[in-house]
Amino acid sequence: MSQKYHIVTYGCQMNVHESEKIAGILQRMGYTETAQNDDADIIVFNTCCIRENAENHAFGNIGALKKLKKQKPELIIAVGGCMTQEKGKTEILKKKFPFIDIMFGALNFEELETLITRKKQEKKKVISIRETAGEIVENVEPYRTSYPNAWVNITYGCNNFCSYCIVPYVRGRERSRKKEHILAEVRSLVQAGYKEITLLGQNVNSYGANGTAGANFAQLLDEVAQIEGDFRLRFMTSHPKDFNEDVVKVMKKHDKICKLVHLPVQSGSNTILSAMNRRYTREKYLQEIQMLRAHIPNAEVTTDIIVGFPGETEEDYLLTEDLVKQVDFASAFTFVYSKRQGTKAATMDGQIPEDIQKDRIMRLVELVNTLTRQKSEKYVGKNVRILCEDYDKKKGLYMGRDEFGRMGYFESETDAVGKFVDLHITKANGISLYGERVKNTEEKE
Ligand code: SAH
Ligand code: SF4
Ligand code: F3S
C-alpha cells in the first residue's frame, strides 16, 4: 500500500498553488493524497505570516499533532512556506514543537524530496532554509486539484516594501518567469481542458520589469489571451502604482479576459498611503478607476483595505469609508493592521489600540457588506454566465462564478462542473446569487 500525504495550506493563492507543486513532488515520490491527518505518513504545513492570526492558526494546528506523533513516531511532520522564512522563526518552532522533522522555506520547497530522503537516512531533524531566492525552478509539475481553475505564476517575490508588509522579506526580490514558459504552461492547461486561468504575482503590473522576461505585463496578457480555446483569463494582484491604460486596452480587446481588476487600495487617506509607502495617492487611484470604466463601462473592481495602521486618525479612516462609497467595489477584503517584526511600520509611532482597530474594522465590514449586498440585488432578474466549479453537498446545488467572481448557485440534473452555464438570477443573498439554468441555451463544453 502506498504511503499517504496530507498538506495543510494557509495564506494567499500563491501558497495554494505552491501546495499543488508540493503535492506534485510527493505524488512523484509515490505518495497518495489523504484528507486526514490520522492516516497520513507525511503531513506538510505550508504556512503564511502575513498577519499574526495566520501564524497563530499554524501554531495551533502544528501543536495539535503532538499526540499523533507520539503514537506514530514514523510520521514525518514538515513545516514550510513563508513563516519559516522569517528571521529566527525556525528556532522558535524548534523550541515550541521539537517533534517537527523537516523545516524548509518558501524559497526552496522544490528541494522537499531531497529533504525527505535525508530525513529518512539520517533520522534527525532536517532544517534547510534559503535566505535569498535562487533562479526560478521551472520543472516542478503541480498536482492540480482545482479543476476547472488553474493558477499560473508569472512573478515571484516583491520589491515594493510597503511598510506594513512582510512579503518582500520572506519571498525575496521580484523575479519574472520567461514569457515562453508561461505561454507553454497556459497552452497545455487549455488543451487539458482547464476553463479558467489566473496569472499570479504580488504585483503583476511589474512583470518583466528587469527586461529579461520577453514582455511587459500588457504584452504578456495580450499573448496569453490569443491562445485558442474556450477559457477565461484572470490576473492578480494589480498594484495601483503600476496599473496602466495599456493593460486596460488589452482587457477590452479580448472577450476571454474577465473585466475584473483586483486593485488593493489599502487606505483612502494620502497621509496613510504615504506612510504605507504605497507610492500613489487617493486621487491617482480614483483616476485609474475612472480610466478603467471609461474604456470598459461594466468593469468591476475588488480591493484590499487595512484599518488601524500606525497614525491612522478617525479622519483618515473616514476618508477610506468615503473612497469605498465612491468606487463602488464589487467586493473588498478588509484587514486589521497586524504588526510584523522587521517591517518599517512595526517601529512607527502612533500604533493604534486594539479597541479602536476593532471599532473601525466593524464599521468598515458593515459598510462593505451593505454595498456588496446592494450590488448583488441588482442581479435579480438578469442572466449571468458562470463557470461551474463544484457541487456544494450541503446546499445540494452546483456552484460557480461569474467573470466578476460573484458566486452563483443552481440545480442541475447532470454534472455541470467545468461547464459555462447561463443562469437566470432569481435570488441574491449577500454576495451569493441563486438562479435557474436558462433553458434552450446551448451548453458550452
Ligand atoms: N501583493 C498584494 C497582496 C499582498 S498580501 C498587494 O500588494 O496588494 C494581501 C493583503 O494583505 C494586502 O493587500 C494587505 O491588504 C494585507 N496585508 C498585508 N500585510 C498586512 C499587515 N501587516 N496587516 C494587515 N494586513 C496586511
Ligand atoms: Fe506586500 Fe506591498 Fe509587495 Fe503587496 S506590493 S506583497 S502589499 S510589499
Ligand atoms: Fe502569501 Fe502569506 Fe506568504 S499571503 S506570500 S502565503 S506571507
Side-chain angles (χ1 to χ4, degrees):
M1 210 178 72
S2 73
Q3 297 229 299
K4 292 190 176 140
Y5 71 85
H6 179 56
I7 304 178
V8 187
T9 309
Y10 309 87
C12 63
Q13 213 52 61
M14 225 161 283
N15 244 26
V16 172
H17 183 42
E18 260 149 35
S19 285
E20 294 182 331
K21 293 187 187 174
I22 291 170
I25 294 171
L26 295 169
Q27 291 265 346
R28 277 184 295 284
M29 289 178 74
Y31 287 97
T32 54
E33 190 179 14
T34 170
Q36 293 91 247
N37 283 332
D38 303 8
D39 60 344
D41 299 285
I42 178 165
I43 301 172
V44 182
F45 289 92
N46 192 11
T47 62
C48 169
C49 57
I50 197 87
R51 284 169 291 273
E52 199 182 350
N53 56 12
E55 296 203 336
N56 290 343
H57 264 147
F59 277 159
N61 290 346
I62 298 168
L65 288 184
K66 192 174 168 183
K67 212 169 122 198
L68 186 65
K69 176 74 180 172
K70 226 179 208 156
Q71 293 166 347
K72 196 175 162 186
E74 71 282 6
L75 165 70
I76 295 179
I77 298 176
V79 181
C82 289
M83 192 164 89
T84 46
Q85 290 287 155
E86 274 182 274
K87 249 203 172 101
K89 224 20 176 261
T90 50
E91 286 306 311
I92 294 173
L93 284 163
K94 229 162 79 180
K95 266 202 202 114
K96 256 180 127 80
F97 311 114
F99 53 84
I100 297 176
D101 298 290
I102 299 173
M103 288 191 219
F104 62 103
L107 300 181
N108 72 333
F109 71 87
E110 300 92 349
E111 292 168 21
L112 190 58
E113 176 168 3
T114 319
L115 302 179
I116 294 171
T117 311
R118 239 174 77 192
K119 169 69 203 168
K120 286 183 174 165
Q121 284 166 355
E122 297 173 10
K123 302 277 180 219
K124 61 175 191 213
K125 201 183 293 297
V126 173
I127 301 180
S128 173
I129 309 285
R130 266 192 91 115
E131 282 194 8
T132 52
E135 292 283 307
I136 292 176
V137 181
E138 278 295 342
N139 58 2
V140 184
E141 188 71 28
Y143 176 72
R144 297 181 186 269
T145 48
S146 55
Y147 177 83
N149 302 341
W151 293 288
V152 174
N153 293 111
I154 66 165
T155 66
Y156 298 95
C158 183
N159 287 351
N160 293 311
F161 289 94
C162 301
S163 63
Y164 51 81
C165 183
I166 200 159
V167 171
Y169 301 90
V170 294
R171 288 283 179 155
R173 296 293 62 72
E174 183 182 278
R175 288 96 64 206
S176 295
R177 275 180 86 190
K178 293 224 176 329
K179 183 184 83 178
E180 281 67 33
H181 291 141
I182 297 167
L183 290 173
E185 185 174 355
V186 177
R187 263 187 223 112
S188 80
L189 287 167
V190 172
Q191 264 168 21
Y194 284 89
K195 296 288 161 59
E196 181 174 300
I197 308 290
T198 305
L199 306 177
L200 289 180
Q202 295 294 354
N203 170 4
V204 291
N205 306 105
S206 64
Y207 173 79
N210 66 358
T212 59
N216 64 27
F217 181 61
Q219 292 161 339
L220 175 76
L221 192 63
D222 194 19
E223 288 199 39
V224 176
Q226 283 171 42
I227 292 173
E228 275 184 37
D230 189 24
F231 69 100
R232 67 186 184 191
L233 184 57
R234 299 184 188 280
F235 52 90
M236 62 180 247
T237 298
S238 297
H239 194 307
K241 90 180 161 65
D242 298 317
F243 184 67
N244 62 44
E245 197 162 8
D246 288 347
V247 173
V248 174
K249 284 181 180 161
V250 174
M251 286 176 72
K252 187 176 178 175
K253 184 172 147 193
H254 298 281
D255 287 342
K256 280 195 173 83
I257 304 178
C258 296
K259 306 295 179 262
L260 169 73
V261 185
H262 182 57
L263 196 65
V265 68
Q266 314 297 1
S267 169
S269 151
N270 283 337
T271 320
I272 298 301
L273 286 172
S274 165
M276 286 176 162
N277 191 31
R278 287 290 287 180
R279 287 177 280 170
Y280 54 84
T281 57
R282 172 193 177 94
E283 291 73 28
K284 178 170 188 284
Y285 188 89
L286 291 170
Q287 268 166 20
E288 282 173 6
I289 303 288
Q290 233 175 18
M291 180 271 289
L292 170 69
R293 287 180 176 151
H295 284 290
I296 310 170
N298 70 332
E300 295 268 21
V301 182
T302 54
T303 202
D304 294 345
I305 299 169
I306 298 175
V307 298
F309 183 83
E312 186 186 69
T313 62
E314 176 65 17
E315 287 69 39
D316 293 319
Y317 167 75
L318 290 174
L319 282 165
T320 299
E321 275 199 0
D322 182 67
L323 181 131
V324 167
K325 287 178 199 152
Q326 261 192 59
V327 176
D328 193 20
F329 293 110
S331 69
F333 297 98
T334 50
F335 307 106
V336 170
Y337 166 72
S338 171
K339 198 194 239 185
R340 306 282 70 206
Q341 213 101 61
T343 62
K344 214 169 156 214
T347 53
M348 281 180 185
D349 292 338
Q351 302 285 329
I352 307 291
E354 221 178 289
D355 56 334
I356 298 185
Q357 288 186 323
K358 275 207 181 122
D359 173 62
R360 287 182 191 157
I361 194 78
M362 275 163 62
R363 284 148 73 198
L364 187 62
V365 166
E366 172 86 44
L367 173 66
V368 166
N369 286 350
T370 308
L371 294 175
T372 45
R373 210 178 308 126
Q374 283 170 1
K375 227 176 175 132
S376 295
E377 273 154 19
K378 288 193 194 137
Y379 277 76
V380 177
K382 289 190 180 142
N383 287 1
V384 171
R385 166 154 297 183
I386 65 145
L387 171 59
C388 181
E389 289 179 3
D390 213 347
Y391 178 70
D392 186 321
K393 279 196 201 111
K394 259 194 222 150
K395 286 193 163 81
L397 296 169
Y398 282 90
M399 144 312 142
R401 282 171 211 275
D402 73 352
E403 68 173 305
F404 308 115
R406 222 173 258 103
M407 284 192 284
Y409 291 89
F410 63 103
E411 270 178 18
S412 175
E413 309 223 314
T414 53
D415 183 4
V417 174
K419 290 177 179 137
F420 288 102
V421 173
D422 289 319
L423 291 187
H424 183 71
I425 302 305
T426 51
K427 195 174 95 181
N429 186 0
I431 54 165
S432 306
L433 305 174
Y434 293 82
E436 283 159 12
R437 247 173 127 144
V438 179
K439 299 233 164 60
N440 304 326
T441 52
E442 193 114 3
E443 193 170 80
K444 285 181 80 188
E445 291 287 337

